[in-house]
Amino acid sequence: MGNRFQVKDRFADGAQYIDGQLRSGTSGQSHTVVNPATGEEVLTYELASTADVDEAVAAAKRAFPAWSAATPGERSEALHRLAAVLEEQAEDFAYAESLQCGKPIKLSTEFDVPGTIDNTAFFAGAARHLQGQAAAEYSGDHTSYVRREAIGVVGSIAPWNYPLQMAAWKILPAIAAGNTIVLKPAELTPLTSLMFAQAAKDAGLPDGVVNIVTGAGRDAGEHLVGHPDVVMTSFTGSTAVGKRVAEIATATVKRLHLELGGKAPFLVFDDADLEAATHGAVAASLINTGQDCTAATRAYVQRPLHDAFVARVAELMETVRLGDPFDPATDLGPLVSHAQRDRVAGFVERARGYATVVTGGEIPGGELAEGAYYRPTLVSGAAQDSEVVQSEIFGPVLVVLPFDTDDEGIELANDTPYGLAASAWSRDVYRAGRATREIKAGCVWVNDHIPIISEMPHGGYKASGFGKDMSAYSFEEYTQVKHVMYDNTAVAAKDWHRTIFGDRT
């Protein structure tokens, strides 16, 4: 990884980024970022207080008039410069992301960081295309057009599983549209969010446009969501916490965007390419150690392929290499924390009472014993209404269930409160097409599972939330649509006035 920067030196001034400066929190409470691969301390910092949140929001509010008045071209140029800075610092970002999350370095360098750079480049272009409906005389006597205007200060909360990408998904569309933002990253993983804000300053974005407050959810997070000067909240995280965010935002009549949990079905029809489906299932269930709300978690396999699918997935899972995240050969890193590892293990241990653990289901020992590692796990024989099928585990666990008819397979795929992502595997275009229409999820892949692209929206149905990240659709979240209507007649006494007073002349 070349010359790795020293985290404690980099953040010696604190883990809050307010009005263009790193500073320490003032809550009087500290938090330690831990390397989940070793259990070693990475950084201990002071958490943000509500006063720190107030200062960050005030900085964003001060920066808003000038930033929202900048031309789309000026904002676009600033984001292009930001993309270039991120490219220059890509190695540092990958290192910090793997250090705080335990991600294999090949995932950080080939997915998280380049994906974030691509997102930045996309929104640099999208900033110049904030379009409304074309001007026209819809009433006959008036010319109407639509303006898209920035809405103000956005207060967003990002999760710990993809700290860099989620920070970018929150920040980029907001500022491309002319808003300013205060982002609260997860306390476990603040490093790359802070680095992203510093990169924005390096790129010449004005102070106060991007602010980071690193604090506890019940204190800093709730205060940010409820702040009277915050006009919108975008939250990514669990459905349970999302409900609390919604309660606070609704009480203060804020615009709200929620990207919540998932329990993605992986629907394999009996004409599917078995090798493609099994390789896809292993990759899609184990990405980011399964800590991905779009990860494949429930594989429904039509009965003629079921046994072969289970055997082949187990065989492939047993080849997955656990190890040091900074070893390029490592396939699977630890979970984000020992608490998360133990939570995942609890699901699997309880499942042993009603299902079969085909492979995995173990906390490894030896050199990996100090880390939050868990072996890739395949479960079969569980009932549709069981915990392991219905609840979001957020770990390297795939459950396989059989189905008979196409109707049953689609019904089972939809039998969950969630609706974030899904995939359908078939050589038959009509079968696959039906699945894309009838599965209730915000993204349905065909013969693949996981890839995302900046040009296309990401967001869910049902308990997975509402609103979109990425793509031009995200501007629906971050802009106010204004209808402007001009009278073209210059007539003082208009015919419609008679419905209010007087008679028709």
Side-chain angles (χ1 to χ4, degrees), residues 287-303:
I287 184 172
N288 203 34
T289 318
Q291 298 166 127
D292 185 315
C293 43
T294 64
T297 59
R298 300 177 292 137
Y300 295 103
V301 184
Q302 208 151 23
R303 205 170 294 275

Side-chain angles (χ1 to χ4, degrees), residues 194-212:
L194 292 163
M195 292 168 63
F196 191 92
Q198 291 176 303
K201 184 181 178 75
D202 293 343
L205 273 75
D207 292 346
V209 172
V210 179
N211 306 274
I212 308 293

Side-chain angles (χ1 to χ4, degrees), residues 416-441:
T416 174
Y418 301 107
L420 186 57
S423 63
W425 297 74
S426 173
R427 290 185 173 95
D428 186 324
V429 65
Y430 298 104
R431 258 179 154 174
R434 179 191 175 192
T436 65
R437 292 190 302 273
E438 296 186 13
I439 292 176
K440 304 305 180 188

Side-chain angles (χ1 to χ4, degrees), residues 172-198:
L172 291 169
I175 65 175
N179 304 291
T180 55
I181 189 167
V182 178
L183 174 78
K184 192 196 89 66
E187 304 96 298
L188 289 172
T189 55
L191 303 183
T192 46
S193 299
L194 292 163
M195 292 168 63
F196 191 92
Q198 291 176 303

Side-chain angles (χ1 to χ4, degrees), residues 45-58:
Y45 65 92
E46 296 297 312
L47 291 165
S49 66
T50 56
D52 297 325
V53 173
D54 290 341
E55 289 194 33
V57 172

